Amino acid sequence: MSESSVKPDQSRPDKALSVAWAISSEKQPDAYESYRATISELYDVSGVADNGRVGFRSQTTAWRFGAATFARGRSVPQTLTRNASEIRRSGLDHISIIVNLTDTRGDCDGRETIAPAGSVQFRDLSRPSASRADTIDTINLVTPRTSVPSWLLGRKIHGLVLPPNSPGGRLVASHLKTLVDVAGDLTEEEGGAAIEATFVIAERFLGRSGPVSPVHLESIHRTIRQRAMQVFDARAADPTLNVNEVALSIGVSRSALYRAFGDMGGVQTYVLNRRLDRAYADLRINGGGRLANIEDIGRRYGFGSRPRFDRAFRDRFGFPPTEVAPVGFVGRGAPLAANEEGYLDGAAHDVVVDWLRRGEAA
C-alpha cells in the first residue's frame, strides 16, 4: 500500500486517517481474490456465488480513531467465519459492535445469533463466530478490549443482539449511523469521544446489574490502562521496562496497575503481545518476512535472540516471522493505487488490521 493512498486530506491535516476501496469483478478480474486475501486475518469467506468470478463487488470506507477503527462496508451475499486460524493469525483482542443493515444469521461460539436488519450485534474477536447475510451492509466499530467497560465485558456479550425494535437498539444504531455521516470531518480526538458516547448509550440499556463501589472504579481502571498503554508504546523497544517503572511513571501503585489489567491477561502478557504486534507491523512495512531484517526488528522490540523472537512470534500468531506478507500484498506484486474518487483498486482490510495492531501509534 502506498503511503499516499492512506492518509488524511492534506488540506485538512487534523482529520482522522482513513482508507477506502471500491472493487468489482467487472473492473478488476482479481477483485474477489484481493478481497479474500486482505480479509483473511479477520474472516474466512465462503458462499460467494460463482466463487466471486461474476458480479462480485465490495466497497468500504474505514477511519482510525485512536486505538479503534470504524467502518462502513457493503458487499455481495457471503458467509464470514472467524475460527481458531483467523483468531491466531490476527492476534486481535478486540470487541466489535456491528450495526446490521440487512438480516444476518449466525453462530457465536455456540450461541445462535439472529440479527434482523437494523439490529446491533456485539462480537468478541478473540472467540469463534460465523454469520451469513444475503447482502453485506454493515457499520462496524472495533475497539481494543482494554477500552471496553468491564460492565459490558461481564455480560457475556459475544453474540449479544440489541433488536431493531428495542429502545437500546434504535439509539445505538442511530448514533453509529450518524457517526458514519460525519466521520470524515472528525479528528481522532473527536472520533474517540463519539466512540466513548456509544458505550454511554449502551450502558443505559445494558448497564450494570447492581451498584458498583466506588462508583468510578471502572473509569479509573480504564484511565490507568490508557495511560499505561502510552508508556508501553513509547518504550516498546526497551527490554528493561518493568511494572514498577510503569506504575511510577503514571502515578499509581503496582497493585492498582495489576488490577486494571486483570481482565486483559495481566500486565506482562499485555506488554509481550504489544511488542509482538509492533514487530509484526514493522515486518509488513519493511517488505514482509522475506525481505525485512528479522533479527534487527526482533532486537528493536526487546528480543535478544532470533530463536527467542521466532518462538514468541509463533506462539502468538501461529506462524514464523518469515511468513509475514508485506503491506498491500494481494498477489500482484505492486502497490495499490487510488482512482480519482479516492478509492483504492484493491481491498485493504490488512491496512485496517494493522491500525488495530499498532493501536494509538501513528
Side-chain angles (χ1 to χ4, degrees):
M1 188 70 57
S2 63
E3 289 295 322
S4 60
S5 302
V6 188
K7 62 172 58 177
D9 184 339
Q10 292 303 301
S11 65
R12 301 183 300 166
D14 59 330
K15 298 302 184 284
L17 201 65
S18 66
V19 64
W21 61 91
I23 58 176
S24 71
S25 57
E26 294 179 0
K27 295 182 179 179
Q28 296 101 6
D30 63 346
Y32 179 54
E33 287 74 14
S34 166
Y35 179 81
R36 288 202 68 190
T38 67
I39 204 173
S40 63
E41 292 183 11
L42 289 172
Y43 295 104
D44 176 67
V45 182
S46 61
V48 176
D50 299 311
N51 291 321
R53 288 188 295 270
V54 178
F56 180 81
R57 59 177 175 78
S58 173
Q59 181 172 340
T60 295
T61 302
W63 298 268
R64 189 189 72 177
F65 296 132
T69 68
F70 183 66
R72 176 76 166 90
R74 302 176 181 87
S75 191
V76 298
Q78 60 194 263
T79 297
L80 297 172
T81 304
R82 185 166 174 82
N83 56 33
S85 176
E86 287 78 35
I87 291 170
R88 195 172 189 185
R89 288 186 70 88
S90 68
L92 297 179
D93 190 21
H94 291 61
I95 302 299
S96 176
I97 303 177
I98 305 166
V99 179
N100 296 288
L101 299 174
T102 57
D103 293 346
T104 304
R105 299 179 67 96
D107 176 277
C108 287
D109 205 4
R111 179 180 189 175
E112 182 183 17
T113 58
I114 301 175
S119 62
V120 178
Q121 185 179 163
F122 297 79
R123 290 187 192 174
D124 184 336
L125 295 185
S126 70
R127 298 174 62 186
S129 67
S131 61
R132 174 72 190 181
D134 290 336
T135 300
I136 299 293
D137 195 354
T138 63
I139 298 169
N140 196 351
L141 166 62
V142 183
T143 190
R145 189 183 303 274
T146 51
S147 300
V148 176
S150 292
W151 63 261
L152 183 56
L153 293 176
R155 288 189 58 88
K156 299 180 180 178
I157 62 172
H158 190 47
L160 177 67
V161 175
L162 291 176
N165 59 352
S166 68
R170 291 200 304 269
L171 278 175
V172 175
S174 177
H175 173 68
L176 292 178
K177 289 176 184 177
T178 300
L179 183 53
V180 166
D181 293 338
V182 302
D185 295 319
L186 299 181
T187 64
E188 286 205 14
E189 183 178 358
E190 291 166 343
I195 289 171
E196 182 67 23
T198 305
F199 294 117
V200 172
I201 296 169
E203 182 177 9
R204 171 65 180 80
F205 301 94
L206 295 173
R208 308 178 180 97
S209 58
V212 176
S213 180
V215 175
H216 300 296
L217 179 60
E218 170 53 25
S219 177
I220 293 171
H221 280 180
R222 269 190 288 163
T223 299
I224 291 174
R225 289 196 296 264
Q226 290 166 358
R227 292 171 64 193
M229 287 165 62
Q230 292 174 351
V231 177
F232 296 147
D233 291 346
R235 297 181 58 184
D238 184 356
T240 68
L241 181 65
N242 57 57
V243 173
N244 287 334
E245 289 183 76
V246 175
L248 181 64
S249 67
I250 64 176
V252 301
S253 66
R254 272 175 59 106
S255 59
L257 186 62
Y258 279 122
R259 284 195 297 270
F261 280 87
D263 293 334
M264 315 299 156
V267 179
Q268 299 294 350
T269 297
Y270 176 83
V271 172
L272 174 62
N273 289 341
R274 193 68 171 155
R275 286 173 173 158
L276 289 167
D277 291 346
R278 291 302 187 80
Y280 191 122
D282 276 9
L283 284 167
R284 285 173 53 74
I285 290 171
N286 287 280
R290 295 183 180 180
L291 297 178
N293 190 319
I294 295 175
E295 289 82 0
D296 282 353
I297 291 175
R299 284 194 295 270
R300 185 182 307 162
Y301 291 99
F303 297 93
S305 68
R306 171 70 181 271
R308 183 183 168 209
F309 179 49
D310 284 359
R311 184 167 54 252
F313 195 96
R314 188 186 290 272
D315 286 345
R316 177 148 175 77
F317 299 110
F319 56 95
T322 52
E323 293 184 12
V324 173
V327 169
F329 176 77
V330 290
R332 66 183 66 198
L336 301 180
N339 62 21
E340 292 181 358
E341 291 76 31
Y343 290 106
L344 300 172
D345 66 359
H349 301 90
D350 52 345
V351 172
V352 179
V353 172
D354 280 347
W355 287 350
L356 293 170
R357 284 200 187 101
R358 295 181 71 82
E360 306 244 4

